[in-house]
């Protein structure tokens, strides 16, 4: 089956491929003795919060299609892609849900895929998200990429490169991306181990963890009964704080660190910082408020847009422009103005300066603030400032007209 849409002719099936790339997140044991994969990593609250902060913001930002004009640009609301990106990309998702899902795939798995459904007229009719675990990439002898998808029923389908919207994150080979979890597996594994350690301590319900030494001649049966009796009476949170009683002649020796010895709480805080560093998210956005205050909250938000979101937003824009738009007269772009506005006082000062220096109109400021248009607002002339040293109108004496009269004189 062949497909032509103003581009090179490509063959979908029966194309020999000399390389296959499987988009799988491999599981492995790290040095902390825990298995790190997408599900276990996302169960860490800091990872979940970092992924949510980025994906929810990307999903909720306005994404519009623009048309290049002689005077600059304008929104192309009649373009078929505008409705898909702004409202609903398919029949079961909103634009927010689609972009949020795709962004989560990028952050957790390093890749996000969506099938592009083209009409016979060469227009995009729908964008259908594909789960990364069911996608393999084939590279042909000519260097072309094919995407082989497998659904839950096990049926496979091969898609051409211009039928897939592919977002990559930190790729090594230019074909498959890598997620922060995959690259820094040990860091995530340490956070998992610390959480498991704390859970086990609470599960045991006591700080006592070690060996019970009994008198010589204790049989295996007696030793097992002592161990089982100890576990039954002093493990679990319900038994926390109970006083342990050992058989006559038996002693207890601690052989493991307590939570205080391991500085468990401080290690947990450090894990939050490590996760924030992996995803390049300010710690305050994932619940670490130790370094946050009212004076730097606005600047942290701008930092988030500039150093965290910008890379992801540009990746979306360039991928859509490359594969979904066939005319160079159109392009897509996110509107981040709302995230950069700051508080109302800063915005008011910004608009006042922009309007007074002449590079912004009042109508433009109102449009940015989503306020209704006022006819002729840009035609109003500014009243010249009043000189405080000038005398009031109708008076010839700057002091009010009484100066120069004698003490006994009447007006």
């Amino acid at each position: 089956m062949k497909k032509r849409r103003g581009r090179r002719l490509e063959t979908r099936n029966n194309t020999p491929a000399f390389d296959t790339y499987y988009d799988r997140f491999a599981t492995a044991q790290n040095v902390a003795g825990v298995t790190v994969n997408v599900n276990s990593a996302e169960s860490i609250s800091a990872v979940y919060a970092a992924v949510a902060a980025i994906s929810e913001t990307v999903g909720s930002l306005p994404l519009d299609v623009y048309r290049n004009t002689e005077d600059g640009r304008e929104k192309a609301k009649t373009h078929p892609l505008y409705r898909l990106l702004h409202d609903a990309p398919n029949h079961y998702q909103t634009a927010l849900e689609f972009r949020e899902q795709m962004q989560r795939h990028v952050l957790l798995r390093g890749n996000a895929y969506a099938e592009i459904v083209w009409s016979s007229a060469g227009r995009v009719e729908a964008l259908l998200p594909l789960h990364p675990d069911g996608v393999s990439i084939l590279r042909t002898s000519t260097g072309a990429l094919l995407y082989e998808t497998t659904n839950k029923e096990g049926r496979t389908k091969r898609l051409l490169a211009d039928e897939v919207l592919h977002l990559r994150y930190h790729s090594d080979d230019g074909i498959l991306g890598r997620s922060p979890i995959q690259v820094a597996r040990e860091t995530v594994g340490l956070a998992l181990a610390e959480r498991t350690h704390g859970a086990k301590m609470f599960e045991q319900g006591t700080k006592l963890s070690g060996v019970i030494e009994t008198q010589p001649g204790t049989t295996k049966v007696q030793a097992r009964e002592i161990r089982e009796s100890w576990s039954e009476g002093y493990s679990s949170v319900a038994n926390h704080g109970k006083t342990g009683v050992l058989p006559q002649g038996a002693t207890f020796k601690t052989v493991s660190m307590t939570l205080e010895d391991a500085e468990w709480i401080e290690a947990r805080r450090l894990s939050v910082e490590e996760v924030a560093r992996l995803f390049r998210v300010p710690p305050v956005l994932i619940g670490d408020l130790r370094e946050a205050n009212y004076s730097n909250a606005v600047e942290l938000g701008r930092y988030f847009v500039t150093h965290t979101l910008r890379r992801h937003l540009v990746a979306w824009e360039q991928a859509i422009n490359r594969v979904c738009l066939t005319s160079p007269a159109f392009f897509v772009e996110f509107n981040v103005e709302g995230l950069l506005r700051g508080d109302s006082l800063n915005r008011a000062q910004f608009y006042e300066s922009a309007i007074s220096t002449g590079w912004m109109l009042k109508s433009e400021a109102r449009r940015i603030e989503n306020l209704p248009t006022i006819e002729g607002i840009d035609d109003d002339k500014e009243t010249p400032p009043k000189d405080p040293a000038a005398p009031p109108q109708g008076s010839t004496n700057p002091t009010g007209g009484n100066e120069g009269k004698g003490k006994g004189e009447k007006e």
Side-chain angles (χ1 to χ4, degrees), residues 94-411:
T94 63
L96 182 147
E97 293 169 344
F98 169 77
R99 277 186 270 138
E100 185 180 55
Q101 178 188 357
M102 293 279 287
Q103 190 61 53
R104 289 178 64 84
H105 286 169
V106 170
L107 296 171
L108 293 173
R109 291 175 165 83
N111 298 273
Y113 307 94
E115 179 182 355
I116 304 173
V117 180
W118 292 93
S119 68
S120 58
R123 296 180 177 179
V124 180
E125 290 186 331
L127 296 171
L128 307 175
L130 304 170
H131 199 285
D133 289 348
V135 178
S136 301
I137 301 179
L138 310 175
R139 188 170 65 176
T140 68
S141 56
T142 61
L145 298 183
L146 301 175
Y147 293 81
E148 193 168 80
T149 66
T150 305
N151 59 19
K152 294 181 179 180
E153 290 74 26
R155 292 193 296 270
T156 61
K157 180 181 180 181
R158 188 169 292 184
L159 300 172
L160 301 176
D162 59 2
E163 293 177 313
V164 176
L165 176 65
H166 184 186
L167 302 176
R168 303 176 181 88
Y169 193 43
H170 292 175
S171 176
D172 259 352
D173 52 19
I175 296 178
L176 281 181
R178 301 178 303 158
S179 72
I181 300 171
Q182 183 179 358
V183 176
R185 190 192 306 271
E186 299 298 326
T187 300
V188 178
L190 181 59
L192 283 168
E194 291 166 355
R195 186 191 63 183
T196 303
H197 173 68
K200 285 297 182 182
M201 293 295 290
F202 284 109
E203 180 182 345
Q204 296 299 323
T206 176
K207 295 179 180 178
L208 299 179
S209 178
V211 296
I212 299 176
E213 290 187 357
T214 60
Q215 293 294 325
T218 302
T219 65
K220 291 184 178 180
V221 175
Q222 291 173 329
R224 183 172 64 252
E225 291 176 350
I226 293 174
R227 184 180 67 248
E228 292 175 353
S229 175
W230 179 269
S231 177
E232 180 181 352
Y234 307 108
S235 66
S236 79
V237 177
N239 294 319
H240 178 67
K242 286 187 177 181
T243 302
V245 179
L246 294 172
Q248 185 176 1
T251 59
F252 183 89
K253 291 186 176 181
T254 302
V255 295
S256 65
M257 295 186 298
T258 63
L259 290 179
E260 291 84 359
D261 296 331
E263 296 186 354
W264 179 77
I265 296 177
E266 188 62 31
R268 292 282 285 165
R269 289 177 177 173
L270 180 60
S271 293
V272 174
E273 295 180 8
E274 291 283 352
V275 171
R277 190 175 297 118
L278 286 179
F279 290 94
R280 297 173 57 83
V281 174
V284 64
L285 294 183
I286 60 175
D288 186 354
L289 305 178
R290 288 175 293 170
E291 303 297 332
N293 53 60
Y294 289 108
S295 62
N296 66 0
V298 174
E299 291 304 320
L300 286 174
R302 292 175 181 169
Y303 178 93
F304 178 60
V305 174
T306 304
H307 298 283
T308 305
L309 291 181
R310 179 173 174 80
R311 188 268 171 207
H312 299 289
L313 300 181
V314 173
W316 273 92
E317 293 168 355
Q318 293 185 353
I320 295 174
N321 290 335
R322 182 182 63 86
V323 74
C324 294
L325 291 171
T326 57
S327 172
F330 297 92
F331 65 96
V332 300
E333 186 175 291
F334 280 96
N335 183 359
V336 297
E337 184 64 34
L339 298 178
L340 298 174
R341 288 180 189 171
D343 55 30
S344 57
L345 178 60
N346 288 332
R347 296 204 310 275
Q349 294 173 346
F350 168 77
Y351 292 139
E352 181 181 6
S353 174
I355 294 172
S356 62
T357 53
W359 64 268
M360 179 180 283
L361 299 175
K362 294 179 180 180
S363 59
E364 294 174 330
R366 292 184 61 85
R367 185 162 57 249
I368 294 175
E369 291 292 324
N370 292 321
L371 295 174
T373 303
I374 297 180
E375 196 68 31
I377 188 174
D378 295 327
D379 300 332
D380 292 343
K381 301 297 183 182
E382 293 288 344
T383 303
K386 185 179 295 184
D387 185 358
Q393 292 183 358
S395 173
T396 58
N397 193 326
T399 60
N402 292 325
E403 190 172 319
K405 295 182 181 292
K407 289 185 179 180
E409 295 181 2
K410 295 182 181 179
E411 295 187 15

